[in-house]
Structure formats: structure tokens, C-alpha cells
Amino acid sequence: MSMLAAGNRRRPLTWVVLVVAGLIALVMSSPFLLMVLNAFKTGDDYSSHGPIAWPRSFSLDAFSNYLSLVDFPVALWNSVLISTVVAFGGVALSLLSAYPIGVGRIRGSGPILAVLLLSTMLPHEALIYPLFYGAQATHTFNTVWSVVIVFVVLQGAFGTYLLASVMGTVPKEILEAAAIDGAGRWQILWRIVLPILRPTLSVLVVFFFIWTWNEFYIPVVLLADQSSQTVPIALSTLRGQHSIDITVLNAGSLLSLLPTLVFFLIFQRTLNRGVTAGAVK
Amino acid sequence: MKRRQHGYWWYLLPIGIGFTAVVAVPFAANVVLSFFRWKGGIAPLHWNGLGNYSDLLHDANFWLSFRNSVFMIIAIVVIPTGAGILLAATLVDYLGKRFGPRAASFLRATYYLPQILPIAVAGFIWSWILDPGSGSINTFLRSVGVSDPPDWLGSPDLALYSVMLMLVWLQLGYPLVIFMAALSRVDPELYEAAALDGAGWWRQFGAITLPTVRPEIFIVVLTATVAALKVFAPILILTGGGPEGSTLVPSYYAYRNFFELSQVGYGSTIATVMAVVIFGVAAVLLGWQRRAERRA
């Protein structure tokens, strides 16, 4: 009690609120904790002691099992390739298309942005069957490139919408001064707009990467073959097979989320700065 | 001036081509297909006029799927937005001030964690946690003496609520992080002045916190509602629309028609109606926002 009296801003109610917030945090993270707990068990240990018991022994069997069932290096390579190309390609496309709208203020900017905003809301169901056919017709079906092309455009539409309004805040004087000094439009974009927008662009790269990594619907339809599957799709196709041990699926889940988790932790500062970027999606 | 404007159009060429190939043509094709009966592949197309649409009006599954969309909105929009705003205010303005900003950002990171998870992983974990036999919840319930714990995903009365539970868990971090960022705009002196005037925490919440985050509330409600109307992967992974169609949603119904029932025309009809509903709801929300801004 003396401590409560000393800091009179921490009344008993304060501790109650802290405990409640802590309990919510525990509930929110419990699926992760359960996953870690069970990924390091042996299958026998799991089936005899259940999911909430502490592992009898620390084992990596589940991981080696998962790696023998799924060609993880290939899935990892596919996911890294797709997400990286989409992240940078999508941001490049956004930068190019936002420039005439945000800086050039061309006629028709309003309708163009409205159409792009609508396309970010469009349900993927309303595109999927024609895309499925288009991918087969262009021989990109079952290759990472079908997914890359689709998401560069879809993320690019969102990025254009976002960047156009950010570009509107670039001071006119700077742009005019550059034009008077003889800079062409391309030079102004490359030498002036790009450096000013760099923080926003890096946030977009992070978001595009994570969104594309986690994407489910379009990859599950367009990447039917194991050789082209992404990390999450490989996990979900394995799940369809009933005989698979739960510990193996836990190990696979852990492996599937590690890359985004690492990416997230590295870029957490960028994310804090850019939460409003994610807000619009 | 005119020539300067002209030169800008080149920059729109890449997105113009990409948009045409990936969005405009496929969407137009989808709308056209909705007027045909088609099994897909090399099967012949049969003109059906508005037949698919009138079938849809009499399709109990279709109405059921939209009824379930309302529950998706409760789980993805209503509960997370309400809880998110309360939690954000608690973390920033109550716990943050008493236990330091590091405690607040630690809690925020924990609440946000589900948001960075691939949906395939989240779906697997939850279908396992909710499993009637070996799931953690029922193992726990049995260990405290409940002899007959419920079949969370297998019972038609319960499955929808179980899916909603998972969606709330998944979604909560999104409004929370946005509202916390918004609250950093508030001048702390404002709260101090209100406290000096005798306003309690709830009074401050209503008078300062809520009006501050209003623009973000609009953004969260709009984006989350669109997401709720489109929700697909959690249903595919957790329940496959069952049991007895109790968790059927429009996107999953369209998917089933496309890829399981080979009724491509009918699937396209569902997808087209979905797009129209989403655009309509978005238009209503945007109009509401515009009117609110004008009043403010």
C-alpha cells in the first residue's frame, strides 16, 4: 500500500486497468504461444498429453518433417521473389502514375483517382475467373509472373491514390525553381519529388511486401502447381491432407510467418510512421 | 500550357495498360459472363439474359450469405472499432501516462501481431484451437470439469460465432494502431485543462478523444466494411461455408460456383452483385463522411 500512496497517480484502479490490458494481450498472443509450444513437441508427446501441456522434450522433428513434406526452399524463393518484385514494382508504378496527378494536376485527375479507388475495393471474385483464363492464355498460369503482374497493378492502383495526395503537399516553389533552372519533367520527378517522398515510399514498400506475402485468394487460384506455390499456399494445401500431424502443421505455420515477422520487426519504426498509409486500404 | 499537359500523359501509360489488362477487361468479362450459362473451359456458352439474376433473387443460399455478411460486419467493423478506440485511449492517455510509453507500445505491438499473420496460418491455428477433440479450448474446458464441451465449428448454431471470434482477434490491431497514431495529435495540455475543470476520464474521452479521431473512424469504418463484405479465406479455411451453410458468405458462394460446381455464369452473377453492393455501401459511407465534414 505504501507504494500506491507514494505515487498517488497509480491508484488501485490503475493496476486493475493494467491487469485487464495485460490479460487482453495474453489472449491476443495465446494462439502464437500455443503454436510455439506445440511446434517443438514430438507427435507422440502431443497425442498423449494434448495441446496445452509443456513439451516433455525439446524436439525439432516437426520442422524436419515439414521440410520433407513441402519443398520449402522453393516456396520461400517464390514468396520472396513475388513479394519483392511487387513491392518495388508497385511503388515504382505508383510513383510514375501519381506524378501527373499530384504534381501535374492534369485534367481528369479526379475521375482517374476515383476509378483507381474503386478498383481497390473491387472484390477479387469479380476478376478471378477472367484472370484465371487470361493467365492460361498468356502461359503465365502456374508461374509466379501471373501473380506478380496482378499485384503490381492492384497495389499500384492503391499506391497511386495515396501518393497523388502526398505529392500535392510538395511545395510549389521548389518545383518551379527547378523548372526555371531548366530541369525537365523527368528530372524533377527523379531528382526532387522522389527524394522528398522517400519516407512515404519506404513505408509503401514494407506494406506492399507484407500484403503480397500474406495474399491468399488470387495465388491459391493461379498457382495450382507445387513448384510455383507461395509459402502460405504450400501450408494450406498440406493442411488438406488429413493424415498430417498437428505438430508438423505448427512447425510449418511458424516457418511461414517468420519472414514477415522479421521484416515487421526490422521496419517497425517505418510502420509506426506510416500507419496512416495502411489506413486507406 | 497545353503542350505541357500533353507530356504528362506518358506517365500514365504503364498503369493504363496494367489497369486495362488486370482490372477493366476482367471485370467487364465477368459482367458479360453473368448473362450466360456456362460450365467453363471448352463447354459452350448459352445466352441466359437476366436469368441468372432472377435465379439469384430466389436463391435462399444467396440471401443467407448476405445475412451472414451482416455478422461479418459486426465482427470486423463494429466490435474492433469500438474496442479499438477504447483500448487506444486507455493505452495512450491512461496506462501510457502512468507506466510510460514503452508499456503502451509493447501492448500495442501484442494487439497488432495478428495483423501481420498470413491468413493461411491464422486460419490453421484457429481451426486447430477450436477443434472439438484435440483443440486447446476444449482440452482446457475438459480439464476444468466440463464433460461435454461444444463443437465450436461443427455446430450450425455456433459456427458463425466461432468464426466471428477469430475475426475480432484478427482485426482488433488495425483500428487500435490507427487510433493511437491519431491520438498523438492531441495536445496533452488539453487533457490537463479538462482534468482541472473537473472532467473525469469518460468525460474527457467523449469531449476530446472521440472528436479527435473522427477522421480515422471514417477511414476504419469504410475500409473494414469493404473488407467484411469481401471476407473469404477465413471461411474457406475454418468451415468451408458449413455446417449446413451456416457460415456461407457471398465471396465463398461465388468461389464455390466457379471452381466446385462449374457454374461460371452464376458465379459471375454473384461476383457482379457483390461488386455493386460494395460500391453502393462505399458510396453511402463516403457521402455520410462528406456531409459530416461540412457540418463540422
Side-chain angles (χ1 to χ4, degrees), chain A residues 9-11 13-15 17-18 20-22 24-32 34-35 38 46 49-52 93-94 96-101 103-108 112 115-133 149-151 153-154 156-157 160 179 185-187 189 207 210 213-217 220-221 232-233 235-236 239 246 249-250 252-254 256-257 260-261 264 268 271-272 275-276 278-281, chain B residues 2-9 11-12 14-15 18-19 21-27 29-30 33 38-42 87 90-91 94-95 97-100 103 105-121 123-129 134-136 139-140 143 168-170 172-174 177-178 181 216 219-220 222-224 226 230-233 236-238 250-252 254-255 258-259 264 268 271-272 274-275 278-279 282 286:
Chain A
R9 297 180 72 195
R10 294 186 182 177
R11 291 174 294 143
L13 177 68
T14 317
W15 293 98
V17 173
L18 183 71
V20 171
I24 298 175
L26 187 67
V27 171
M28 293 298 285
S29 52
S30 59
F32 294 92
L34 283 168
M35 184 164 64
N38 288 287
Y46 175 82
H49 298 106
I52 47 182
L93 182 64
S94 311
L96 274 184
S97 8
Y99 183 52
I101 300 169
V103 171
R105 295 176 199 281
I106 52 164
R107 245 179 297 133
I112 292 172
V115 167
L116 293 179
L117 181 66
L118 280 183
S119 70
T120 65
M121 295 181 182
L122 200 64
H124 290 166
E125 291 74 20
L127 305 173
I128 194 66
Y129 211 85
L131 285 180
F132 172 70
Y133 249 73
I149 292 167
V150 168
F151 283 109
V153 175
L154 290 180
T160 305
R185 261 194 289 273
W186 177 252
Q187 279 172 311
L189 174 63
F207 269 103
I210 294 180
W213 185 284
N214 292 346
E215 202 49 69
F216 185 77
Y217 190 55
V220 95
V221 173
I233 305 302
L235 177 76
S236 73
R239 227 198 104 220
I246 287 286
L249 287 171
N250 273 306
S253 296
L254 208 53
S256 308
L257 73 87
T260 35
L261 187 67
F264 173 72
Q268 220 203 351
L271 280 163
N272 283 344
V275 278
T276 35
V280 194
K281 173 133 186 174
Chain B
K2 213 167 186 183
R3 259 185 61 211
R4 281 190 59 182
Q5 283 239 341
H6 203 69
Y8 270 120
W9 286 99
Y11 292 90
L12 287 171
I15 200 147
F19 179 83
V22 172
V23 181
V25 170
F27 183 57
N30 181 80
L33 283 176
W38 185 35
K39 287 192 169 307
I42 52 163
L87 279 172
T90 309
L91 291 191
Y94 195 84
L95 293 177
K97 279 181 187 161
R98 286 161 178 84
F99 295 95
S105 39
F106 174 77
L107 287 170
R108 175 184 62 185
T110 317
Y111 298 161
Y112 191 72
L113 214 51
Q115 281 276 306
I116 59 156
L117 213 58
I119 189 67
V121 171
F124 153 68
I125 302 179
W126 276 88
S127 65
W128 166 57
I129 288 177
S134 68
S136 313
T139 307
F140 173 75
S143 75
V168 170
W169 172 82
L170 196 65
L172 182 67
Y174 167 73
V177 165
I178 289 169
E216 276 82 6
I219 293 170
V220 166
L222 174 67
T223 52
V226 171
K230 293 202 276 196
V231 73
F232 171 78
L236 175 82
I237 297 168
L238 284 184
S251 63
Y252 186 74
Y255 174 85
F258 282 139
F259 298 109
V264 178
S268 305
T272 306
M274 261 181 84
I278 289 173
F279 291 160
L286 285 167

Side-chain angles (χ1 to χ4, degrees), chain B:
Chain B
M1 194 63 208
K2 213 167 186 183
R3 259 185 61 211
R4 281 190 59 182
Q5 283 239 341
H6 203 69
Y8 270 120
W9 286 99
W10 289 106
Y11 292 90
L12 287 171
L13 197 63
I15 200 147
I17 296 170
F19 179 83
T20 307
V22 172
V23 181
V25 170
F27 183 57
N30 181 80
V31 174
V32 170
L33 283 176
S34 75
F35 298 114
F36 286 89
R37 232 196 304 254
W38 185 35
K39 287 192 169 307
I42 52 163
L45 282 146
H46 294 289
W47 175 255
N48 195 19
L50 290 172
N52 287 335
Y53 288 87
S54 77
D55 286 350
L56 205 59
L57 284 178
H58 304 290
D59 184 345
N61 278 332
F62 173 72
W63 291 106
L64 177 71
S65 72
F66 266 103
R67 186 201 69 121
N68 287 343
S69 284
V70 175
F71 287 89
M72 297 298 116
I73 289 174
I74 294 171
I76 293 179
V77 188
V78 180
I79 297 174
T81 308
I85 204 164
L86 275 175
L87 279 172
T90 309
L91 291 191
V92 170
D93 159 48
Y94 195 84
L95 293 177
K97 279 181 187 161
R98 286 161 178 84
F99 295 95
R102 300 198 82 177
S105 39
F106 174 77
L107 287 170
R108 175 184 62 185
T110 317
Y111 298 161
Y112 191 72
L113 214 51
Q115 281 276 306
I116 59 156
L117 213 58
I119 189 67
V121 171
F124 153 68
I125 302 179
W126 276 88
S127 65
W128 166 57
I129 288 177
L130 294 167
D131 187 89
S134 68
S136 313
I137 292 183
N138 281 3
T139 307
F140 173 75
L141 285 178
R142 271 193 290 266
S143 75
V144 296
V146 180
S147 58
D148 187 24
D151 185 353
W152 300 100
L153 292 169
S155 142
D157 301 324
L158 260 184
L160 187 61
Y161 301 105
S162 304
V163 171
M164 286 170 72
L165 180 75
M166 181 259 196
L167 291 172
V168 170
W169 172 82
L170 196 65
Q171 187 69 14
L172 182 67
Y174 167 73
L176 177 86
V177 165
I178 289 169
F179 292 149
M180 281 180 78
L183 285 177
S184 64
R185 286 198 306 256
V186 181
D187 183 352
E189 285 177 19
L190 213 54
Y191 283 115
E192 281 161 26
L196 280 177
D197 286 346
W201 191 85
W202 284 102
R203 193 64 211 285
Q204 295 178 27
F205 178 78
I208 302 169
T209 308
L210 272 184
T212 305
V213 298
R214 185 172 307 175
E216 276 82 6
I217 294 178
F218 277 120
I219 293 170
V220 166
V221 167
L222 174 67
T223 52
T225 307
V226 171
L229 291 169
K230 293 202 276 196
V231 73
F232 171 78
I235 300 292
L236 175 82
I237 297 168
L238 284 184
T239 65
E244 296 168 32
S246 58
T247 57
L248 193 67
V249 292
S251 63
Y252 186 74
Y253 195 39
Y255 174 85
R256 190 140 94 196
N257 275 286
F258 282 139
F259 298 109
E260 287 168 17
L261 305 174
S262 295
Q263 297 180 339
V264 178
Y266 199 55
S268 305
T269 312
I270 300 167
T272 306
V273 172
M274 261 181 84
V276 171
V277 168
I278 289 173
F279 291 160
V281 168
V284 168
L285 288 175
L286 285 167
W288 175 45
Q289 176 188 25
R290 197 154 292 174
R291 241 177 311 141
E293 268 174 3
R294 215 173 293 144
R295 246 184 291 128

Side-chain angles (χ1 to χ4, degrees), chain A residues 158-198:
Chain A
F158 170 75
T160 305
Y161 180 78
L162 184 93
L163 285 184
S165 65
V166 179
M167 276 187 199
T169 64
V170 175
K172 260 211 153 81
E173 298 75 33
I174 300 179
L175 301 172
E176 275 162 11
I180 290 168
D181 287 348
R185 261 194 289 273
W186 177 252
Q187 279 172 311
I188 292 179
L189 174 63
W190 194 244
R191 298 250 164 93
I192 293 164
V193 178
L194 177 72
I196 294 178
L197 257 56
R198 186 156 289 151

Side-chain angles (χ1 to χ4, degrees), chain A residues 61-118:
Chain A
D61 288 1
F63 288 91
S64 59
N65 245 330
Y66 183 74
L67 294 180
S68 71
L69 288 165
V70 167
D71 200 345
F72 194 71
V74 166
L76 188 66
W77 165 247
N78 289 337
S79 272
V80 169
L81 179 69
I82 292 174
S83 305
T84 309
V85 175
V86 169
F88 286 97
V91 168
L93 182 64
S94 311
L95 187 69
L96 274 184
S97 8
Y99 183 52
I101 300 169
V103 171
R105 295 176 199 281
I106 52 164
R107 245 179 297 133
S109 296
I112 292 172
L113 285 182
V115 167
L116 293 179
L117 181 66
L118 280 183

